[in-house]
Amino acid sequence: MQSALGFGLERLHREATSFFKHTYTHMLFYHGTRVLDEPSYRAHGLLRSSIENLNETARRMFGDSEHLLRASSSLRASRYAEHNHGRVGVWYSRRALLANGSYCFRGSEYLHLFSREMGPEFEQHMTSAGRGAVVCCRLPVGEAEEFCASLAELAVKHLFRIVDPEAPEAMYLEDHSPMLERDIPAEWIEIEYLPE
């Protein structure tokens, strides 16, 4: 049997989700990366991960070599190449992105693994290629309605954290990072470069 407190939280979450959907027009998500080609972001926005495009970027960064072929084969054999294909990884908060993700400093997760497969000198190159950035994505609520419940849960958890300042950091849902299965148009993003 569900406790009264549990029922109360469930109802609070349901009401908060409804309030979120009907009150706010946009929601913010944060993507960390190393920007290698700013004009592409300005023209096309934030595109879903494409293994073909990432492999081409790796060729441009590291040159054609036996190292590159071995790394590509290794990642393909591990099926890692399919891990994020067709999706954009984002965070619910800028703070959580910077605290938990190294994407702004090492770049694409796939390219970082690629460089690690190739060796230390290539891995070092990943931290100097391009510029570390946070890409803020401002999506209309109607375009990402499935995340309203998660964002409402963050608000509910935050309320309890205010009530109990000793609540652990894990109370924050913002430490999770959803995957968006869509491109984010250029007019919906802003790029903030980070100090190197």
Side-chain angles (χ1 to χ4, degrees):
M1 184 171 176
Q2 191 175 31
S3 72
L5 178 60
F7 178 77
L9 286 177
E10 192 175 296
R11 182 175 175 195
L12 178 61
H13 183 229
R14 201 168 44 248
E15 291 296 325
T17 301
S18 176
F19 177 80
F20 192 98
K21 284 183 186 179
H22 297 99
T23 305
Y24 298 105
T25 58
H26 291 79
M27 56 182 75
L28 299 180
F29 295 100
Y30 300 86
H31 175 78
T33 190
R34 290 195 72 81
V35 174
L36 300 170
D37 181 8
E38 185 176 334
S40 174
Y41 285 89
R42 300 293 178 211
H44 308 295
L46 183 58
L47 301 177
R48 287 173 287 175
S49 177
S50 160
I51 296 310
E52 294 79 19
N53 290 347
L54 287 168
N55 285 337
E56 180 54 37
T57 299
R59 271 192 289 283
R60 283 198 320 266
M61 288 176 71
F62 306 125
D64 279 315
S65 69
E66 190 61 37
H67 289 299
L68 186 105
L69 290 173
R70 274 199 308 271
S72 179
S73 296
S74 175
L75 288 174
R76 201 168 34 255
S78 72
R79 303 194 61 84
Y80 184 83
E82 300 164 18
H83 175 60
N84 291 333
H85 183 73
R87 300 185 290 174
V88 175
V90 294
W91 291 81
Y92 285 115
S93 82
R94 182 182 182 282
R95 183 197 70 80
L97 166 65
L98 294 175
N100 297 304
S102 57
Y103 312 104
C104 302
F105 307 103
R106 290 192 320 213
S108 156
E109 189 175 301
Y110 179 78
L111 288 176
H112 178 70
L113 287 176
F114 211 113
S115 67
R116 200 162 66 195
E117 287 282 332
M118 293 177 68
E121 67 276 18
F122 296 98
E123 196 172 2
Q124 174 61 35
H125 183 62
M126 279 302 299
T127 61
S128 58
R131 293 175 65 191
V134 172
V135 180
C136 178
C137 307
R138 186 174 183 265
L139 275 68
V141 166
E143 295 286 337
E145 197 168 326
E146 70 269 27
F147 297 106
C148 287
S150 297
L151 288 167
E153 185 178 340
L154 172 59
V156 170
K157 288 183 175 184
H158 186 64
L159 283 174
F160 281 93
R161 193 163 162 73
I162 291 170
V163 171
D164 181 5
E166 300 302 314
E169 280 291 311
M171 282 287 288
Y172 277 115
L173 179 74
E174 67 183 29
D175 290 338
H176 296 285
S177 53
M179 301 297 287
L180 304 181
E181 297 188 1
R182 59 157 305 146
D183 297 331
I184 313 300
E187 60 271 20
W188 293 359
I189 68 168
E190 289 180 21
I191 299 173
E192 172 201 351
Y193 288 108
L194 299 174
E196 293 293 320

